[in-house]
């Protein structure tokens, strides 16, 4: 053994150990409990720092702390929001117990003013409020009702709207004296400082059931009561729209849908990135300690809340109460103020469930105005039962069931079963509105408003309109006058008629339309689930490739178009359709139609017969059509004689098939047309949302160009979401194609960061549209002269083309929310720029109402 080497190793090892041993001997350890001097209650998440050091700890939820350091320190500094900071002496190099007693600050958080010195920078790091909110986020899923195997409860849903701060002397004016019974029904206690005049009330009582595995929900509507404004206002559609604006608030979701916008929840995964959090109080509720967390948005114009969350400190980190408001600078239209208050009650297993949710929104065009409209939605939950197994039969059938007598419940039923109480003013609303809608003066006023706003004038069971189609003009028909109308449910809910008659003064031709629809399921034709048959006849003009989405071509505003647009068709349709929907939102439709097309304007049908040019006067086809559609979780604004989809996150799948029948009803061609489409809205939280549509189509068989796929073009100055806004009418024809449309709305996320744009409340949009298509040799007129030749101008130059392998692409950037209603897009076309009458750039506008 080499003793020298061994000794040397021991000596070197000792040299390394001595500093460690010295440090260990001098280690300082301080522990204790932090309490409130006055209440003696422990304080959670208090910051304790070793003086002149980066060493620090945060007290746990019971106020206990342990601070250790290998470097000696002689003082600890203690700070906590809402309390005075203190510094305490420590004996260096020893283990000791120091209980800390904090004195509440006399200043409230909102009252702190920094008059001089450097402003303290807010940080997430080492912030006890952020650490607490991260615990709430981590325990979010276990605190949701869906974490139970079974849940059942009773739900009472009340929606009330009131006119706000109406002058108390208005009932004394001559014109309004007859409405005194309505105008004097005031409520000055529900919202302190505001005088409410209730005009709308809707109540629903439901029994809800939930099963976790396999997941299933069931809601049984036990009772429903609502005001009735008569035939002038669609009461059901109005109620659906109000519920869409006042969506049920779930604080445990990442995003909260309100006022048709997505707000980021203050306890979402990314909440510390978008919000600032402060511990502002600790209180005791039902012998349980609760921390009050205040929060504010980092950017006051984004779709974010501000308010307070009360968090339990029992290890579940559950929300016990929440108060949500919005900043006055938020980029939200027509909303002066918004408040959401939610209370949570404790289950027998010590966890919490939502017991009451109250959402109050003050609407107005001017955020500083005193008048306006105030809406309150209150949802109350009672009779909570968790983890009580339910038989499978409970969840059989549709997810929502309406009992037969739900809308016929007596006053005694409501007085016994309401889970909340009506105010004196609310209790009079039903009678007051019933009296109002029977008054002749009310009927006259509503007649005028219906004509101005909806475009229809009612005459009992029939209404005339829409007024915006009474007058229009185009190059083929010149001045065109049209008069039409439709029946109302006053005639029948099961059968429905619609018609119009039109005349063009240039072509001197009459046009018209007539349809008859009959419901097979004893419901309104437009009531979900639909089950009806319809027969119709139409004789009118149409531009090939013009998509009519929510407006009619005869709309006066669409008479103004750019470029050459004199290629028209006279169409005569005979149609028979059957539509059947299922509760699962799967539907199918079958149709039979005879279609005659005749060229008009500069359009012609020309081919070669035996090598000689031949003009064809008309083209007749007979078709059988079928459509399969699946729209899971689809929602509607359900009206009496209309139904409008409410966009949500679920996709819609549509498959269309058309079979042409030769020698049937004078049909001239056999062919098949297949079309598949997917529509989906993608929500990106603070980055807004995108509407995406993908389509593929194929025409099988040899057919002339009017039967091919003609892309949806737009030569008006209105921006069309579902058309190519810089493509000319009939510019392309395809027998196979694929396309994608993307329309992105950023909701002001970027503009909100720019000081000037921030004040204007403008919002950014972006769109991308691409079309891939082509024409097979089978349908190419240059190879088959017997087919109709593609259209040309007066000089014989082509104006309609088959697409090459290059896709048609156009994109746009835009600004919406200009004057709260207007969207303006700068549109750019990227391909096929060498074709005649092509616009590379364009500015298009669109008017829309949005919050």
């Amino acid at each position: 053994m080499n003793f020298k080497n061994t000794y040397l190793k021991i000596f070197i090892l000792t040299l390394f150990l001595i500093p460690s041993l010295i440090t260990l001997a001098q280690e300082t350890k301080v522990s204790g409990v932090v309490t409130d001097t006055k209440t003696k209650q422990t304080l959670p998440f208090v910051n304790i720092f070793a003086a002149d050091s980066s060493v620090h700890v945060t007290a746990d939820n019971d106020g206990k702390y342990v601070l250790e350091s290998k470097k000696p320190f002689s003082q600890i500094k203690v700070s906590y929001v809402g309390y005075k900071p203190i510094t305490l002496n420590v004996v260096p190099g020893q283990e000791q117990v120091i209980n800390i007693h904090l004195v509440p600050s006399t200043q409230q958080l909102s009252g702190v003013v920094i008059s001089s010195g450097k402003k303290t920078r807010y940080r997430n790091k080492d912030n006890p409020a952020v650490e607490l909110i991260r615990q709430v986020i981590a325990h979010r899923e276990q605190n949701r009702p869906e974490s139970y195997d079974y849940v059942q409860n009773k739900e009472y849903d009340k929606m009330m709207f009131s006119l706000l701060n109406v002058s108390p002397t208005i009932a004394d004016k001559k014109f309004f004296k007859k409405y005194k019974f309505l105008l004097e029904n005031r409520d000055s206690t529900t919202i302190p400082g505001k005088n409410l005049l209730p005009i709308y009330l809707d109540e629903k009582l439901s029994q809800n059931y939930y099963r976790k595995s396999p997941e299933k929900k069931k809601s049984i509507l036990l009772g429903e009561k609502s005001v009735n404004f008569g035939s002038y206002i669609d009461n059901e559609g109005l109620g659906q729209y109000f519920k869409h604006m006042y969506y049920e608030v779930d604080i445990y979701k990442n995003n909260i849908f309100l006022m048709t916008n997505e707000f980021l929840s203050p306890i979402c995964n990314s909440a510390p990135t978008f919000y600032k959090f402060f511990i502002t109080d600790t209180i005791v509720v039902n012998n349980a300690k609760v921390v009050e967390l205040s929060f504010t948005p980092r950017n006051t114009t984004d779709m974010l809340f501000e308010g307070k969350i009360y968090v339990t400190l029992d290890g579940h980190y559950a929300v016990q109460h929440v108060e949500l408001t919005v900043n006055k600078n938020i980029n939200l239209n027509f909303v002066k103020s918004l408040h959401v208050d939610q209370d949570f009650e404790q289950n027998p297993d010590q966890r919490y469930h939502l017991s009451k949710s109250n959402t109050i929104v003050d609407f107005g065009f001017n955020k500083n105005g005193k008048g306006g409209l105030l809406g309150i939605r209150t949802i109350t939950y009672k009779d909570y039962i968790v983890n009580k197994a339910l038989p499978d039969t409970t969840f059989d059938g549709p997810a929502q069931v309406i009992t037969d007598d739900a809308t016929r419940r007596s006053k005694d039923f409501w007085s016994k079963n309401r889970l909340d109480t009506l105010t004196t003013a609310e209790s009079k609303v039903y009678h007051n509105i019933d009296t109002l809608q029977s008054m002749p003066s009310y009927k006259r006023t509503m007649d005028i408003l219906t004509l101005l706003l909806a475009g229809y004038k009612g005459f009992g069971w029939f209404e005339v309109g829409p007024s915006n189609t009474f007058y229009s003009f185009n190059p083929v028909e010149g001045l065109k006058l049209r008069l039409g109308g439709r029946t109302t449910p006053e005639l029948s809910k099961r059968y429905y008629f619609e018609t119009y008659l039109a005349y063009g003064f240039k072509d001197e031709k009459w046009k018209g339309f007539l349809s008859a629809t009959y419901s097979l399921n004893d419901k309104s034709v437009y009531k979900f689930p639909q089950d009806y048959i319809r027969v119709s006849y139409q004789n009118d003009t149409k531009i090939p490739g013009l998509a009519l989405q929510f407006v009619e071509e005869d709309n006066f505003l669409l008479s103004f178009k750019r470029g050459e647009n004199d290629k028209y068709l006279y169409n005569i349709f005979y149609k028979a359709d059957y539509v059947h929907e299922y509760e699962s939102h799967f539907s199918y439709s079958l149709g039979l139609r005879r279609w005659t097309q005749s060229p008009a304007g500069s359009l012609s049908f020309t081919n070669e017969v035996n090598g000689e040019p031949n003009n064809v006067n008309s083209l007749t086809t007979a078709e059988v059509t079928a459509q399969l559609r699946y729209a899971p979780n689809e929602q509607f604004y359900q009206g009496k004689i209309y139904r409008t989809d409410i966009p949500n996150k679920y996709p819609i799948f549509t498959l269309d098939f058309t079979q042409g029948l030769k020698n049937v009803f004078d049909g001239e061609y056999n062919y098949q047309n297949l079309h598949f489409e997917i529509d989906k809205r993608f929500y990106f939280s603070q980055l807004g949302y995108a509407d995406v549509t993908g389509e593929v189509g194929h025409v099988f068989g040899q057919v002339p160009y009017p039967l091919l796929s003609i892309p949806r073009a737009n030569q008006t100055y209105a921006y069309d979401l579902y058309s190519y806004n810089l493509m000319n009418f009939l510019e392309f024809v395809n027998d196979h194609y694929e396309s994608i449309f993307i329309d992105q709305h950023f909701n002001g996320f970027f503009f909100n960061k720019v000081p000037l744009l921030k004040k204007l409340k403008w919002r950014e949009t972006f769109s991308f549209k691409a079309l891939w298509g082509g024409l097979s040799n089978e349908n190419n007129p240059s190879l088959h002269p017997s087919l109709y030749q593609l259209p040309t101008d007066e000089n014989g130059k082509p104006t309609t083309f088959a697409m090459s392998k290059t896709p048609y692409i156009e994109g746009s950037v835009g600004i919406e929310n200009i004057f709260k209603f207007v969207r303006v897009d700068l549109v750019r076309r990227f391909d096929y720029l060498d074709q005649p009458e092509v616009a590379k750039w364009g500015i298009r506008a669109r008017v829309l109402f949005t919050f």
Side-chain angles (χ1 to χ4, degrees):
M1 178 181 291
N2 189 330
F3 288 99
K4 287 186 178 180
N5 289 340
T6 304
Y7 178 81
L8 182 61
K9 291 178 181 178
I10 294 174
F11 178 76
I12 294 173
L13 181 61
T14 304
L15 290 177
F16 279 106
L17 286 176
I18 287 175
S20 300
L21 293 171
I22 294 174
T23 302
L24 182 63
Q26 293 179 339
E27 182 178 40
T28 306
K29 181 177 181 180
V30 184
S31 62
V33 179
V34 186
T35 59
D36 184 303
T37 303
K38 293 183 178 180
T39 65
K40 310 303 180 185
Q41 295 291 327
T42 57
L43 299 176
F45 308 111
V46 176
N47 284 320
I48 300 103
F49 294 85
D52 302 322
S53 168
S54 61
V55 178
H56 72 281
V57 295
T58 302
D60 64 15
N61 59 7
D62 293 318
K64 296 178 181 178
Y65 77 96
V66 177
L67 178 63
E68 296 178 88
S69 176
K70 295 177 181 179
K71 294 182 179 180
F73 57 91
S74 59
Q75 289 183 326
I76 58 173
K77 295 182 178 181
V78 186
S79 64
Y80 193 50
V81 177
Y83 289 81
K84 295 179 180 179
I86 61 172
T87 301
L88 300 173
N89 293 326
V90 173
V91 180
Q94 293 188 14
E95 183 175 334
Q96 56 214 281
V97 174
I98 299 179
N99 292 321
I100 302 169
H101 308 286
L102 295 182
V103 178
S105 173
T106 55
Q107 287 182 310
Q108 296 297 319
L109 180 67
S110 59
V112 174
V113 177
I114 300 175
S115 57
S116 63
K118 188 176 180 181
K119 184 178 179 180
T120 304
R121 185 181 172 214
Y122 177 89
R123 299 178 62 185
N124 281 347
K125 187 178 180 181
D126 303 326
N127 186 333
V130 174
E131 292 179 18
L132 177 57
I133 205 67
R134 292 194 194 282
Q135 290 286 359
V136 177
I137 295 169
H139 290 78
R140 193 175 60 195
E141 291 305 316
Q142 77 175 43
N143 286 316
R144 292 175 58 83
E146 288 80 3
S147 65
Y148 289 110
D149 292 330
Y150 293 91
V151 178
Q152 54 181 297
N153 59 49
K154 194 164 284 186
E155 174 187 327
Y156 171 69
D157 188 347
K158 181 179 71 173
M159 175 76 76
M160 188 271 288
F161 277 86
S162 298
L163 297 178
L164 197 59
N165 297 326
V166 176
S167 172
T169 61
I170 193 172
D172 298 327
K173 298 184 181 297
K174 184 178 180 180
F175 179 81
F176 294 103
K177 278 187 177 181
K178 63 184 74 173
Y179 304 114
K180 197 168 187 178
F181 68 95
L182 179 69
L183 297 172
E184 289 186 343
N185 183 37
R186 306 297 184 98
D187 178 0
S188 58
T189 59
T190 299
I191 309 293
K194 296 185 185 294
N195 192 299
L196 309 183
L197 196 160
I199 57 171
Y200 176 86
L201 185 63
D202 179 81
E203 301 176 89
K204 288 183 175 65
L205 182 69
S206 304
Q207 179 66 42
N208 300 324
Y209 301 96
Y210 170 78
R211 181 183 64 198
K212 185 176 183 179
S213 182
E215 189 173 37
K216 197 78 182 283
K217 291 182 179 181
K218 183 86 168 209
S219 180
I220 301 174
L221 185 65
L222 305 175
E224 180 177 12
K225 190 175 183 180
S226 184
V227 298
N228 183 2
F229 290 101
S231 60
Y232 302 97
I233 296 178
D234 175 23
N235 299 286
E236 189 171 5
L238 188 66
Q240 290 288 342
Y241 187 73
F242 286 160
K243 293 295 172 64
H244 181 57
M245 291 196 308
Y246 284 74
Y247 220 71
E248 293 184 18
V249 175
D250 185 350
I251 193 67
Y252 285 107
K253 284 187 175 180
N254 275 326
N255 295 285
I256 296 172
F257 195 80
L258 269 178
M259 301 297 111
T260 70
N261 285 281
E262 275 202 333
F263 291 78
L264 203 65
S265 169
I267 60 172
C268 72
N269 293 333
S270 58
T273 302
F274 292 91
Y275 289 101
K276 294 179 181 180
F277 293 92
F278 308 90
I279 295 176
T280 48
D281 204 354
T282 305
I283 59 177
V284 176
V285 179
N286 297 328
N287 297 319
K289 191 182 301 181
V290 177
V291 171
E292 178 188 272
L293 265 178
S294 296
F295 58 91
T296 60
R298 292 177 183 261
N299 189 307
T300 58
T301 51
D302 286 343
M303 292 296 173
L304 300 167
F305 294 108
E306 58 185 28
K308 297 179 179 180
I309 302 177
Y310 295 80
V311 180
T312 65
L313 296 178
D314 54 3
H316 293 299
Y317 298 96
V319 176
Q320 188 266 344
H321 177 76
V322 63
E323 300 170 8
L324 306 176
T325 64
V326 294
N327 192 277
K328 65 179 181 178
N329 298 318
I330 192 170
N331 193 344
L332 186 64
N333 293 332
F334 315 116
V335 174
K336 295 192 287 185
S337 65
L338 185 153
H339 298 271
V340 179
D341 292 292
Q342 293 191 323
D343 292 313
F344 294 77
E345 291 182 355
Q346 203 168 29
N347 292 328
D349 64 353
Q350 307 305 309
R351 287 162 60 184
Y352 286 80
H353 69 263
L354 180 63
S355 60
K356 192 168 187 175
S357 179
N358 199 39
T359 304
I360 304 173
V361 182
D362 185 354
F363 299 93
F365 286 99
N366 182 1
K367 290 197 174 186
N368 297 319
K370 293 183 178 180
L373 187 70
L374 186 126
I376 305 175
R377 185 180 187 185
T378 303
I379 306 177
T380 306
Y381 300 91
K382 285 191 177 178
D383 301 337
Y384 242 87
I385 301 175
V386 297
N387 287 339
K388 180 181 179 181
L390 296 166
D392 292 343
T393 54
T394 303
F395 301 95
D396 289 346
Q400 293 184 324
V401 175
I402 302 175
T403 57
D404 293 337
D405 52 355
T407 58
R408 301 190 297 271
R409 296 295 191 182
S410 65
K411 289 184 179 180
D412 184 59
F413 168 87
W414 285 106
S415 62
K416 291 179 179 178
N417 290 278
R418 273 190 189 100
L419 304 184
D420 199 357
T421 57
L422 297 182
T423 65
T424 303
E426 287 174 342
S427 64
K428 297 179 182 179
V429 172
Y430 294 121
H431 177 265
N432 285 350
I433 299 301
D434 285 343
T435 303
L436 176 69
Q437 61 105 3
S438 64
M439 297 174 65
S441 58
Y442 168 79
K443 294 180 179 179
R444 288 193 299 270
T445 303
M446 294 308 297
D447 265 341
I448 297 172
L449 290 175
T450 303
L451 179 62
L452 293 175
L453 300 177
Y456 283 90
K457 173 66 175 71
F459 297 94
W461 58 269
F462 189 82
E463 56 186 16
V464 176
S467 59
N468 60 2
T469 65
F470 290 167
Y471 167 81
S472 63
F473 59 88
N474 62 67
V476 173
E477 298 171 283
L479 169 64
K480 183 177 183 179
L481 300 182
R482 170 178 148 171
L483 184 65
R486 60 193 183 186
T487 60
T488 71
E490 289 188 30
L491 176 66
S492 172
K493 289 184 178 180
R494 297 197 65 170
Y495 54 86
Y496 169 76
F497 298 95
E498 187 172 7
T499 186
Y500 70 78
L501 189 65
Y503 183 76
F505 283 85
K506 184 176 180 180
D507 64 356
E508 298 181 344
K509 290 177 182 275
W510 288 95
K511 292 90 179 177
F513 169 78
L514 177 64
S515 72
T517 309
Y518 183 75
S519 175
L520 300 175
N521 60 2
D522 200 27
K523 292 183 178 181
S524 167
V525 171
Y526 293 95
K527 186 79 172 178
F528 178 82
Q530 294 177 336
D531 186 20
Y532 67 80
I533 55 174
R534 172 178 289 158
V535 294
S536 63
Y537 164 82
Q538 185 178 31
N539 180 355
D540 210 339
T541 57
K542 182 181 183 296
I543 300 176
L546 173 64
L548 303 178
Q549 296 298 324
F550 305 107
V551 292
E552 307 229 13
E553 187 178 340
D554 288 337
N555 187 322
F556 169 74
L557 295 177
L558 296 184
S559 298
F560 301 95
K561 299 181 177 71
R562 61 175 175 85
E564 296 294 329
N565 58 94
D566 60 348
K567 294 180 175 62
Y568 275 69
L569 289 170
Y570 288 113
N571 286 316
I572 300 177
F573 283 106
Y574 295 89
K575 292 183 182 180
D577 298 288
Y578 172 65
V579 175
H580 187 94
E581 293 181 332
Y582 294 90
E583 295 284 352
S584 63
H585 293 276
F586 172 79
S587 66
Y588 69 88
S589 62
L590 304 173
L592 177 64
R593 71 178 180 180
R594 183 182 186 273
W595 178 18
T596 300
Q597 305 179 64
S598 302
S602 66
L603 192 64
S604 63
F605 294 166
T606 304
N607 64 355
E608 289 186 13
V609 177
N610 298 323
E612 296 294 329
N614 177 59
N615 286 325
V616 180
N617 293 325
S618 63
L619 169 65
T620 299
T621 55
E623 298 176 333
V624 173
T625 62
Q627 182 185 88
L628 302 178
R629 185 176 184 272
Y630 181 50
N633 301 292
E634 188 174 29
Q635 296 174 301
F636 311 103
Y637 300 135
Q638 181 68 66
K640 291 180 180 178
I641 48 180
Y642 72 90
R643 191 177 77 176
T644 303
D645 286 343
I646 299 174
N648 59 28
K649 65 180 180 179
Y650 299 100
I652 299 175
F653 305 92
T654 306
L655 177 65
D656 296 288
F657 175 75
T658 300
Q659 173 66 57
L661 305 174
K662 189 174 182 179
N663 299 324
V664 177
F665 299 125
D666 301 320
E668 300 176 33
Y669 291 91
N670 272 322
Y671 56 92
Q672 299 82 37
N673 191 326
L674 194 63
H675 167 258
F676 178 67
E677 179 176 329
I678 301 177
D679 298 277
K680 179 171 169 50
R681 173 167 286 187
F682 293 88
Y683 288 98
F684 303 114
S685 188
Q686 293 300 289
L687 287 173
Y689 64 90
D691 290 319
V692 179
T693 299
E695 294 180 87
V696 296
H698 200 112
V699 177
F700 300 90
Q702 189 177 64
V703 293
Y705 74 81
L707 299 180
L708 296 174
S709 170
I710 302 175
R712 297 184 298 270
N714 177 28
Q715 284 185 228
T716 72
Y717 295 98
Y719 184 82
D720 192 319
L721 298 174
Y722 303 100
S723 298
Y724 302 98
N725 289 285
L726 292 182
M727 183 186 290
N728 294 328
F729 296 133
L730 200 54
E731 184 177 348
F732 297 102
V733 290
N734 301 304
D735 61 9
H736 61 277
Y737 68 92
E738 304 83 35
S739 68
I740 185 168
F741 286 21
I742 302 173
D743 191 47
Q744 170 71 45
H745 301 252
F746 291 105
N747 287 344
F749 181 80
F750 299 106
F751 284 175
N752 289 346
K753 314 300 186 288
V754 181
L756 177 60
L757 298 177
K758 182 178 183 176
K759 291 187 177 182
L760 292 172
K761 303 294 177 68
W762 287 354
R763 301 169 186 171
E764 325 83 346
T765 64
F766 163 80
S767 72
F768 173 82
K769 300 176 182 181
L771 172 67
W772 294 262
L775 195 62
S776 64
N777 290 337
E778 182 181 21
N779 287 310
N780 190 337
S782 63
L783 301 178
H784 301 278
S786 61
L787 293 172
Y788 299 171
Q789 297 302 300
L790 297 182
T792 61
D793 62 17
E794 64 274 11
N795 299 316
K797 293 183 178 180
T799 58
T800 299
F801 304 88
M803 296 187 69
S804 64
K805 293 182 179 180
T806 302
Y808 173 91
I809 296 176
E810 73 176 35
S812 72
V813 290
I815 299 173
E816 61 183 353
N817 208 42
I818 302 172
F819 307 120
K820 301 187 189 309
F821 293 102
V822 179
R823 168 178 172 174
V824 176
D825 281 74
L826 176 64
V827 189
R828 171 72 152 85
R829 172 171 170 159
F830 294 95
D831 299 288
Y832 298 97
L833 300 177
D834 56 346
Q835 296 184 176
E837 302 294 330
V838 164
K840 185 177 181 180
W841 295 91
I843 295 178
R844 301 292 178 265
R846 179 178 174 86
V847 177
L848 70 160
F849 173 89
T850 178
F851 286 98

